[in-house]
Amino acid sequence: MAWAIKFNSDIAMKLHEYQAKVLLAREGVPVPPGEMAASPEEAGAVADKLGQGPFVVKAQIHAGGRGKGGGIKLAEDRGAVVETAQKIIGMNLVTPQTGPEGKLVRKVLVERAFPVEKEYYLAVTIDRSRARPVILASAAGGMDIEEIARSKPHLLIKEAIDPVVGLMPYQSRNLFFGLEMEPALGSAFTTLLGNFYRVLAAYDCSLAEINPLVVTRDKEILALDAKLDIDDNALFRHKELLEWREYENTWEEEAARYRLNYIRLDGTVGMMVNGAGMAMATMDAIALAGARPANFLDVGGGANAEAVANGFRLILSDERVKLVLINIFGGILRCDVLAEGVINAVSNLEIKVPIVVRLEGTNKDRGAELLAQSGLNFTVAGDMNEVISVIANSV
Amino acid sequence: MAWAIKFNSDIAMKLHEYQAKVLLAREGVPVPPGEMAASPEEAGAVADKLGQGPFVVKAQIHAGGRGKGGGIKLAEDRGAVVETAQKIIGMNLVTPQTGPEGKLVRKVLVERAFPVEKEYYLAVTIDRSRARPVILASAAGGMDIEEIARSKPHLLIKEAIDPVVGLMPYQSRNLFFGLEMEPALGSAFTTLLGNFYRVLAAYDCSLAEINPLVVTRDKEILALDAKLDIDDNALFRHKELLEWREYENTWEEEAARYRLNYIRLDGTVGMMVNGAGMAMATMDAIALAGARPANFLDVGGGANAEAVANGFRLILSDERVKLVLINIFGGILRCDVLAEGVINAVSNLEIKVPIVVRLEGTNKDRGAELLAQSGLNFTVAGDMNEVISVIANSV
Amino acid sequence: MSILIDENTRVVVQGLTGKEGSFHARQCMAYGTRIVAGVTPGKKGQEVDGVPVYNTVREACRAHAINTSLIFVPASFAADAIVEAADAELKVIVCITEGIPVLDMVRVLRYLDGKDCRLIGPNCPGLISPGKCKVGIMPGPIHRPGPIGVVSRSGTLTYEVVDQLTKAGLGQSTCVGIGGDPLIGSTFVDILKLFAADDDTGAVVMIGEIGGTAEEEAARYIKESFPKPVISYIAGRTAPPGKRMGHAGAIISGGQGTAAQKMETLRQHGIHVVENIGEIGTETLNAIR
Amino acid sequence: MSILIDENTRVVVQGLTGKEGSFHARQCMAYGTRIVAGVTPGKKGQEVDGVPVYNTVREACRAHAINTSLIFVPASFAADAIVEAADAELKVIVCITEGIPVLDMVRVLRYLDGKDCRLIGPNCPGLISPGKCKVGIMPGPIHRPGPIGVVSRSGTLTYEVVDQLTKAGLGQSTCVGIGGDPLIGSTFVDILKLFAADDDTGAVVMIGEIGGTAEEEAARYIKESFPKPVISYIAGRTAPPGKRMGHAGAIISGGQGTAAQKMETLRQHGIHVVENIGEIGTETLNAIR
């Protein structure tokens, strides 16, 4: 169960904490008063608006563990807010989740800080094996959910939601009594839970997470940190969220413009394949040949010549690429169309790296013929085994 | 299927047409502009507000077939509206559904009249056998649905709604294409249908009916007449609708105040029973004895002495009653409690009619003893067969 | 044998601390029913006549072996209570509560579709396997163990029938009140199928009433595949059309769902129909001789 | 024999008049599939290569004997199309469409629960019983009739495998692409159960990939009760964690759902695991000898 969460959180557009809190607040989930700031001046203005401190200044990047990397700081007053924002904005924040290269901080969230009495974990996501939304809650707030699931499974409460009836009152009670919250908080918790669960459907979240959910010393319940991931496939019905889309790097942004399935990797073999499973299998074959792919590029089972040309140009523009492998099993995508695309792409380019081509399936002979006539310099591989041996000999 | 509709329409609080249209309009179902008027003056004011005629003046009673009884009249202008309202308000309207006694008209609905091109039937109710909401539609608009179901079943389109997915677009298409509406009306119809279906859940309707749904000469779709019945059991979550409650007669209104299940009938045997099934069986037994019940009165399987007293007083205050039958099978309701209730009820009353009592079940001996000691004059029946023979001898 | 409940039944009462819940739980225990836990949110730690109370059914089921629920919670919470019991995988759920909105029951019944769980009611007196177990609100003392299965849409009318059966020397295997609402968890046919498989049930008395088509559906099933004699009574022959006779489901209209029609259908399908409720005991005795 | 589709399959294509729908319907017909009707709302009366178009599936089913649907409608309408096909009681529904929102699939799968109907996909190439019937978008000519059942989460990778099988002299009984999404209508286990009962299937090639636990569940089922040899390949051994590899379901994270783990589990459950995709044809041949 625990890692089903992680999976689903990844097939999605990630929102920043401040964006998530805007949406949560819109549905009636209480969050601390606060606003995003893209500069120390803006941060100061937010502090003015919020009034008296203390405040908290939080780096807005798409990765967790920000506190450990120095991305979350308390600030007693307006002056400290500006000073802290100065330090955080523009820093390269390294956390356990960013990898050693870190992430550049462009924005912070400035909020009022609250004295916290107790922390909880609360999330809703899709349980793949049961094909249902599931609410997860734990009194071990602040911890990573996978860590809770591993080390304290008895503290993880799960409520699967049947779409026939939705979130039922008894399930709220299972969670409330399971978390052993103070009786007086029952109605506040139930209201929060109902509103929080509604966020899932309202924005097609693949993951909605509040961690920690806190009870303050004044016995208020607040979403102190929040994470929303939006199902990519459902973005067509949430067009207003598209302006929040950010890409990992300019490569992936450009690929998205061409509707190509591109992921940047760290090897030297540029790879163009049709079909996701085939692309993964080709990566594995490259590894068997002792090399590593520079990218994952799936032009799609039904790609046309234009998609092929765009993909090929994208690969060639990557200076790390020392060899290009085109591995196509023609089904809907005919091999002659593939060849046309490749020829179009390179008509104005000087090719500096060796190219290995393997064409199989529909119209493979015609495709091979077109490539041969094009003057393009390339090596032919007859099947997957030949692909492996050609690459092994080239690196 | 057809008569499941009728059933469910009856376990409900009926709304007047003008009330139904208020709710439909609130959910986005287009209705003709109009308002309720309780006097000819008010009717004139509504006509002023609506502007240019022609208008239609419609008697507001809880029964169908109003047109046939003269309860629906066209009025060309304001003057005709006032005149027509004068005639209709206060009339005793007899329709095929009111019975020969008719119903007193207290209010009219004044609306703009529209030239109609085509009439349809549209309803949503609960299909008992499938335990689901079902949408019913027919191009034979204006007809009674039971009549359509009987004589033109091929014209009746049914769409059962699975609560897992709700009303799906393909079901709207099944209805739209099934009704053979003009293609240009597709989007207007789909929107109307979605809004109309939402009314069911929004107000817990046991029946929502638009008959006729019309296409006007200007190609507008309108709910020309509408009927909503609200599930009695769900009124607790629609308190705002309670002010619209009306009773058939003052007897039933008084019984409702005491939370008694009372229905006025046309015989001479006043009857007090605990439990609905037992009450029906006792009515049948009275018939076997050659008499007819003056009422159905179920004090409830778990009634207390107060409910019994209220029920007994209600029966005694009915001058048509020539004999009172108390038939109690004590379960939760103990027979001694029943006896107390009866004794309380009559302590200040002079009893002019014979009373037949049959007590069975819990504490029946103690109950009989209390009644015997009370000075009340009554006949004891030992079992249902004796009930029948005692009544047969009394009438 | 018997159906649905017996000596192995272990009951949680949802709504145990309420007036009705505590009263009837006491009556059931006095009859010998093993009521092992109660549920009332926020009242964990209390006891009712020695029965421990929990906040949720899940908690109760963690602490006790439970297979049956008896529900007394108010109508506005009853749908929730039924789903809570089903989610806890209780096999028999008896909902006494009356007045549940019909759209709530639409969702509940769809939820229960395909689940290994039998809902009795709502708006019903519950059920009793005389001498073994009572999970309901019927008066225990009128029942005797014996070969007659009883299934009924009505409450007190069932007591009348059972009383006559007992006085005629005919004990009962199990008596099931399926409830008077238009949407109920178990129909006549559902219960008849259980009686068909119960060796200790020799004949069945089926008490119907006006409204709906449940009796007609039962008649078809009985003729096709029910192997035991069935005696039936239909209440409401004199009920006027278009009026709701107490039970939400008991309304007749336009010549449909009438008692006369039901009785005719039952007779055509070989079922012994009793005209006079006062004679159902003796007629049953005659019919199964 | 074969599973799910054969000479008796009669198909309606939902979205027939679209570019993809008409192209692939033509390919299927060329392969010999009986496509008897198409559905596109508002296009009743049109024809596509002689196949009549209807406004609704219900209309199409009134005019023709249909038991299978092939769906090409856009993602935002696909959930509706699947439910429409199921409501018309079609027994096999093949949804090619990719990009259906996961919450739509939650409702669709709950709707299908307990219905006598098998959904293949979405986001899949469909299925083919070589020489008999093709209901999908795979290239027909690479297939040959024979004893190998193929089941796969992938599209083109399946073509690669089938091509190798055919070249190795191993024809296929039925090849089923179950789809790459996290929520799909039929799992490996669902399809394996059908292959288990199919006399013409002698062995199964199962193509898995990273993400989820479908392969592990299949491994358990195979060890417990699948009577035929299974050869498996898992794609994505070198995929980095936390990245979505094309298929919505193909992501690994935190040491879970990795190819290495899946391959280990499969081996432990007695399944022949192929390391090099280039050798799956020959290894299958060796494994079943």
Side-chain angles (χ1 to χ4, degrees):
Chain A
M1 166 86 70
W3 51 269
I5 303 156
K6 199 56 181 295
F7 275 25
N8 290 304
S9 81
D10 285 327
I11 57 171
M13 173 178 135
K14 292 176 196 304
L15 300 191
H16 285 299
E17 177 192 6
Y18 80 91
Q19 296 162 336
K21 283 177 169 172
V22 166
L23 300 185
L24 287 174
R26 203 183 279 170
E27 299 298 320
V29 177
V31 299
E35 269 177 42
M36 185 271 284
S39 69
E41 296 70 38
E42 281 182 29
V46 174
D48 288 339
K49 217 190 262 182
L50 294 176
Q52 220 202 314
F55 306 97
V56 62
V57 182
K58 309 176 81 175
Q60 300 295 290
I61 57 167
H62 289 308
R66 292 168 299 167
K68 289 168 199 157
I72 300 180
K73 296 281 185 198
L74 266 175
E76 274 307 311
D77 52 26
R78 185 194 195 280
V81 165
V82 175
E83 204 175 303
T84 310
Q86 190 102 48
K87 277 187 204 142
I88 293 180
I89 296 172
M91 85 186 277
N92 197 54
L93 185 54
V94 179
T95 83
Q97 291 182 26
T98 59
E101 69 278 14
K103 295 215 177 187
L104 177 67
V105 182
R106 297 173 194 278
K107 301 166 187 167
V108 293
L109 172 61
V110 181
E111 282 183 341
R112 273 195 53 207
F114 288 85
V116 167
E117 198 175 83
K118 178 93 183 89
E119 298 193 334
Y120 301 89
Y121 177 93
L122 183 63
V124 51
T125 185
I126 310 298
D127 178 350
R128 272 168 88 132
S129 58
R130 300 186 63 181
R132 297 206 177 162
V134 58
I135 297 177
L136 297 132
S138 174
M143 281 175 70
D144 180 69
I145 187 63
E146 297 189 54
E147 181 54 34
I148 301 172
R150 196 160 36 234
S151 63
K152 306 183 175 183
H154 60 288
L155 286 185
L156 188 59
I157 311 171
K158 296 169 206 164
E159 283 294 329
I161 311 297
D162 187 324
V164 176
V165 289
L167 171 62
M168 293 293 276
Y170 81 90
Q171 301 187 294
S172 299
R173 294 195 298 271
N174 280 345
L175 291 164
F176 178 74
F177 291 116
L179 291 173
E180 296 181 349
M181 278 190 174
E182 287 179 40
L185 294 171
S187 125
F189 176 80
T190 303
T191 304
L192 182 145
L193 188 70
N195 293 343
F196 176 59
Y197 179 70
R198 220 176 36 236
V199 167
L200 186 84
Y203 300 105
D204 274 292
C205 300
S206 49
L207 171 71
E209 186 181 78
I210 300 178
N211 188 21
L213 178 78
V214 303
V215 175
T216 67
R217 273 199 220 129
D218 299 336
K219 306 295 179 195
E220 266 191 288
I221 310 190
L222 280 179
L224 212 60
D225 194 359
K227 187 176 172 202
L228 295 186
D229 294 344
I230 313 293
D231 177 4
D232 266 348
N233 287 342
L235 281 170
F236 69 85
R237 52 192 177 206
H238 305 284
K239 296 234 163 66
E240 76 285 4
L241 299 181
L242 283 176
E243 63 179 78
W244 282 345
R245 182 181 278 293
E246 291 173 15
Y247 291 91
E248 289 278 303
N249 52 57
T250 53
W251 297 88
E252 294 183 7
E253 189 168 355
E254 195 180 342
R257 243 198 320 272
Y258 301 134
R259 297 172 177 278
L260 296 169
N261 225 322
Y262 176 95
I263 296 168
R264 198 162 161 81
L265 303 170
D266 59 1
T268 57
V269 177
M271 178 185 101
M272 185 167 75
V273 186
N274 66 327
M278 188 68 166
M280 281 190 278
T282 305
M283 283 169 62
D284 296 345
I286 291 170
L288 282 179
R292 283 160 64 185
N295 64 273
F296 167 104
L297 175 56
D298 169 17
V299 295
N304 58 18
E306 195 191 340
V308 169
N310 288 328
F312 198 53
R313 270 194 292 262
L314 196 69
I315 292 171
L316 289 175
S317 65
D318 184 347
E319 292 189 351
R320 306 169 312 158
V321 168
K322 303 302 175 211
L323 179 148
V324 176
L325 167 63
I326 298 174
N327 185 22
I328 297 295
F329 203 108
I332 318 316
L333 170 59
R334 289 160 12 215
C335 291
D336 52 332
V337 171
L338 177 279
E340 276 174 36
V342 168
I343 294 163
N344 289 348
V346 299
S347 59
N348 301 318
L349 293 176
E350 193 194 343
I351 311 289
K352 297 173 189 160
V353 295
I355 297 174
V356 179
V357 177
R358 186 258 181 153
L359 296 182
E360 190 53 76
T362 316
N363 293 8
K364 68 171 177 172
D365 295 337
R366 175 81 188 125
E369 199 179 321
L370 284 174
L371 283 179
Q373 292 165 355
S374 71
L376 187 68
N377 193 8
F378 65 98
T379 313
V380 170
D383 59 23
M384 284 304 289
N385 280 333
E386 275 188 46
V387 165
I388 295 171
S389 60
V390 170
I391 293 177
N393 293 335
S394 310
V395 292
Chain B
M1 165 85 72
W3 51 269
I5 303 155
K6 199 56 181 292
F7 275 25
N8 291 305
S9 81
D10 285 329
I11 57 172
M13 172 178 136
K14 292 177 196 301
L15 300 190
H16 285 299
E17 177 192 6
Y18 80 91
Q19 297 163 336
K21 283 177 169 173
V22 166
L23 300 185
L24 287 175
R26 203 183 280 171
E27 299 298 319
V29 177
V31 300
E35 270 178 42
M36 185 272 283
S39 68
E41 296 69 39
E42 281 181 29
V46 173
D48 287 339
K49 216 190 263 184
L50 294 176
Q52 220 202 316
F55 305 98
V56 61
V57 181
K58 309 176 82 175
Q60 300 296 289
I61 58 167
H62 288 308
R66 292 168 299 166
K68 290 167 198 159
I72 299 180
K73 296 281 184 198
L74 266 175
E76 274 307 311
D77 52 27
R78 184 193 196 283
V81 165
V82 176
E83 203 176 304
T84 310
Q86 189 102 48
K87 277 187 201 141
I88 293 180
I89 295 173
M91 86 186 276
N92 197 54
L93 185 55
V94 179
T95 84
Q97 291 182 27
T98 59
E101 70 278 15
K103 295 215 177 188
L104 177 67
V105 182
R106 297 174 194 276
K107 301 165 187 168
V108 293
L109 172 61
V110 181
E111 283 183 341
R112 273 196 52 206
F114 288 84
V116 168
E117 197 176 84
K118 178 93 183 90
E119 298 193 334
Y120 301 88
Y121 176 93
L122 183 64
V124 51
T125 185
I126 310 297
D127 178 349
R128 271 169 90 133
S129 57
R130 300 186 63 181
R132 298 207 175 161
V134 59
I135 297 176
L136 297 131
S138 174
M143 280 176 71
D144 180 69
I145 186 62
E146 297 189 56
E147 181 54 32
I148 300 172
R150 195 159 37 234
S151 63
K152 306 183 175 183
H154 60 289
L155 287 186
L156 189 61
I157 311 171
K158 297 169 204 163
E159 283 293 330
I161 310 298
D162 187 323
V164 177
V165 289
L167 171 62
M168 293 293 275
Y170 81 89
Q171 301 186 295
S172 298
R173 294 195 297 271
N174 280 344
L175 292 164
F176 178 73
F177 292 116
L179 292 173
E180 297 182 347
M181 278 191 174
E182 286 180 39
L185 294 171
S187 125
F189 176 79
T190 303
T191 305
L192 181 146
L193 188 70
N195 293 342
F196 176 58
Y197 179 70
R198 220 177 36 237
V199 167
L200 186 85
Y203 300 105
D204 275 291
C205 300
S206 49
L207 171 71
E209 186 181 78
I210 300 178
N211 189 19
L213 177 78
V214 302
V215 175
T216 67
R217 273 199 220 130
D218 299 335
K219 305 295 178 195
E220 267 191 287
I221 310 190
L222 279 180
L224 212 61
D225 194 359
K227 186 177 174 201
L228 295 186
D229 294 344
I230 313 293
D231 177 4
D232 266 349
N233 287 342
L235 281 170
F236 68 86
R237 53 191 177 206
H238 304 285
K239 297 235 162 66
E240 76 284 3
L241 300 181
L242 283 175
E243 63 180 76
W244 282 344
R245 181 180 280 292
E246 291 173 14
Y247 290 91
E248 288 278 305
N249 52 57
T250 53
W251 297 88
E252 295 183 6
E253 188 167 357
E254 195 180 344
R257 243 198 320 273
Y258 300 135
R259 297 171 177 279
L260 295 170
N261 225 322
Y262 176 95
I263 296 168
R264 197 160 161 82
L265 304 170
D266 59 1
T268 57
V269 178
M271 178 184 102
M272 185 166 75
V273 186
N274 66 328
M278 188 67 166
M280 281 189 278
T282 304
M283 283 169 63
D284 295 344
I286 291 170
L288 282 179
R292 283 160 64 183
N295 65 274
F296 167 104
L297 174 56
D298 169 17
V299 295
N304 58 20
E306 196 192 341
V308 169
N310 287 329
F312 198 55
R313 271 193 293 260
L314 196 68
I315 292 171
L316 289 176
S317 65
D318 183 348
E319 293 193 347
R320 306 169 311 158
V321 168
K322 304 301 174 214
L323 180 148
V324 176
L325 168 63
I326 298 173
N327 185 23
I328 298 294
F329 203 108
I332 318 315
L333 170 59
R334 291 161 10 216
C335 291
D336 54 332
V337 171
L338 178 279
E340 276 174 37
V342 168
I343 294 163
N344 288 349
V346 299
S347 58
N348 301 318
L349 292 176
E350 192 194 344
I351 311 288
K352 298 173 187 160
V353 294
I355 296 174
V356 179
V357 178
R358 185 255 181 155
L359 296 182
E360 189 53 76
T362 316
N363 293 6
K364 67 172 180 175
D365 295 336
R366 175 79 188 127
E369 198 178 321
L370 284 174
L371 283 179
Q373 292 165 356
S374 71
L376 187 68
N377 193 8
F378 65 97
T379 314
V380 170
D383 59 23
M384 284 305 289
N385 280 333
E386 274 187 47
V387 165
I388 294 171
S389 60
V390 170
I391 293 176
N393 292 336
S394 309
V395 292
Chain C
M1 256 168 68
S2 55
I3 66 168
L4 293 165
I5 58 169
D6 57 25
E7 304 86 348
N8 300 314
T9 295
R10 297 173 65 92
V11 181
V12 60
V13 175
Q14 292 176 256
L16 177 64
T17 63
K19 193 182 145 207
E20 273 204 86
S22 56
F23 174 78
H24 290 296
R26 217 165 272 142
Q27 300 288 318
C28 289
M29 285 191 283
Y31 196 80
T33 305
R34 292 204 281 182
I35 294 191
V36 297
V39 170
T40 304
K43 303 221 167 161
K44 183 178 180 173
Q46 293 190 8
E47 288 197 351
V48 171
D49 282 3
V51 176
V53 177
Y54 297 87
N55 286 326
T56 65
V57 174
R58 187 180 292 176
E59 273 179 12
C61 289
R62 278 198 188 128
H64 306 271
I66 297 173
N67 51 25
T68 301
S69 174
L70 177 58
I71 297 177
F72 288 101
V73 308
S76 52
F77 305 111
D80 184 51
I82 296 170
V83 175
E84 181 173 13
D87 191 17
E89 299 184 354
L90 302 184
K91 298 294 176 230
V92 177
I93 301 171
V94 183
C95 185
I96 307 298
T97 307
E98 69 177 311
I100 302 180
V102 69
L103 283 177
D104 289 9
M105 284 309 299
V106 166
R107 280 184 290 269
V108 166
L109 294 183
R110 182 67 178 85
Y111 176 87
L112 295 178
D113 251 10
K115 278 215 160 51
D116 177 24
C117 136
R118 183 133 297 288
L119 171 66
I120 305 292
N123 191 10
C124 79
L127 64 172
I128 183 169
S129 295
K132 298 175 182 167
C133 184
K134 165 181 134 148
V135 182
I137 62 173
M138 63 290 291
I142 60 173
H143 299 80
R144 290 287 176 279
I148 309 293
V150 177
V151 58
S152 170
R153 284 167 70 184
S154 166
T156 42
L157 182 56
T158 314
Y159 314 160
E160 170 74 35
V161 171
V162 166
D163 191 48
Q164 288 190 36
L165 290 173
T166 296
K167 285 175 177 162
L170 294 170
Q172 305 89 41
S173 56
T174 303
C175 304
V176 185
I178 58 174
D181 277 0
L183 299 191
I184 49 179
S186 300
T187 62
F188 283 129
V189 172
D190 293 326
I191 302 302
L192 285 167
K193 284 181 180 167
L194 300 175
F195 279 136
D198 178 36
D199 289 342
D200 284 357
T201 300
V204 170
V205 174
M206 178 171 84
I207 313 296
E209 58 187 35
I210 52 170
T213 51
E215 293 81 1
E216 288 87 339
E217 286 154 25
R220 278 190 292 278
Y221 164 71
I222 289 165
K223 178 154 192 192
E224 272 169 29
S225 39
F226 193 70
K228 306 174 184 185
V230 178
I231 297 90
S232 184
Y233 174 81
I234 304 290
R237 263 176 302 162
T238 56
K243 296 275 187 184
R244 168 177 167 178
M245 305 308 284
H247 283 171
I251 303 156
I252 46 169
S253 174
Q256 298 277 12
T258 63
Q261 195 180 43
K262 286 177 188 293
M263 291 162 75
E264 178 58 23
T265 305
L266 290 171
R267 283 201 185 96
Q268 281 170 0
H269 288 76
I271 295 153
H272 184 99
V273 177
V274 175
E275 296 265 348
N276 177 352
I277 185 64
E279 289 164 6
I280 193 159
T282 50
E283 286 208 34
T284 302
L285 197 58
N286 292 336
I288 64 169
R289 251 179 198 151
Chain D
M1 255 166 72
S2 55
I3 66 167
L4 293 164
I5 57 168
D6 57 25
E7 304 85 348
N8 301 314
T9 295
R10 297 174 65 92
V11 181
V12 61
V13 175
Q14 293 177 255
L16 177 64
T17 62
K19 194 182 142 206
E20 273 204 86
S22 56
F23 175 79
H24 290 296
R26 217 166 271 142
Q27 300 287 319
C28 289
M29 285 191 282
Y31 195 81
T33 305
R34 293 205 281 185
I35 294 192
V36 297
V39 169
T40 303
K43 303 220 167 162
K44 184 178 181 175
Q46 294 190 8
E47 288 197 351
V48 171
D49 282 3
V51 176
V53 177
Y54 298 86
N55 286 327
T56 65
V57 174
R58 186 181 292 176
E59 272 179 12
C61 289
R62 279 199 187 128
H64 306 271
I66 297 173
N67 51 25
T68 300
S69 174
L70 177 57
I71 297 177
F72 288 102
V73 308
S76 51
F77 306 110
D80 184 52
I82 296 170
V83 175
E84 180 173 13
D87 191 16
E89 299 184 355
L90 302 184
K91 298 294 176 230
V92 178
I93 301 170
V94 183
C95 184
I96 307 299
T97 307
E98 68 177 311
I100 303 180
V102 70
L103 283 177
D104 289 9
M105 285 309 299
V106 166
R107 280 185 291 270
V108 166
L109 294 183
R110 181 66 177 87
Y111 176 87
L112 295 178
D113 252 10
K115 278 215 160 52
D116 177 23
C117 135
R118 183 133 298 286
L119 170 65
I120 305 292
N123 192 10
C124 80
L127 63 171
I128 183 170
S129 295
K132 297 174 182 167
C133 183
K134 166 181 133 151
V135 182
I137 63 173
M138 63 290 290
I142 60 172
H143 299 80
R144 290 287 176 279
I148 310 293
V150 178
V151 58
S152 171
R153 283 167 70 185
S154 167
T156 44
L157 182 55
T158 314
Y159 314 161
E160 171 72 36
V161 170
V162 166
D163 191 48
Q164 289 189 36
L165 290 174
T166 297
K167 285 175 178 163
L170 293 169
Q172 306 89 41
S173 55
T174 303
C175 303
V176 185
I178 57 175
D181 277 1
L183 299 191
I184 49 179
S186 299
T187 62
F188 283 129
V189 173
D190 293 326
I191 302 303
L192 286 167
K193 284 182 180 166
L194 299 176
F195 280 135
D198 178 38
D199 289 343
D200 284 357
T201 300
V204 169
V205 173
M206 178 171 85
I207 313 297
E209 59 187 35
I210 52 170
T213 52
E215 293 81 1
E216 288 86 339
E217 286 153 24
R220 279 191 290 279
Y221 163 72
I222 289 165
K223 179 154 192 192
E224 273 170 26
S225 40
F226 192 71
K228 307 175 184 184
V230 177
I231 297 90
S232 184
Y233 174 80
I234 306 289
R237 263 176 302 160
T238 57
K243 297 276 185 181
R244 168 177 167 178
M245 305 307 284
H247 283 170
I251 303 157
I252 46 169
S253 175
Q256 298 276 12
T258 63
Q261 196 180 43
K262 286 177 189 293
M263 290 162 75
E264 179 57 25
T265 305
L266 290 171
R267 284 202 184 94
Q268 283 170 1
H269 288 75
I271 295 154
H272 183 98
V273 177
V274 176
E275 296 265 347
N276 178 351
I277 185 65
E279 289 165 5
I280 194 159
T282 50
E283 286 208 35
T284 301
L285 197 59
N286 293 334
I288 64 170
R289 252 179 197 151

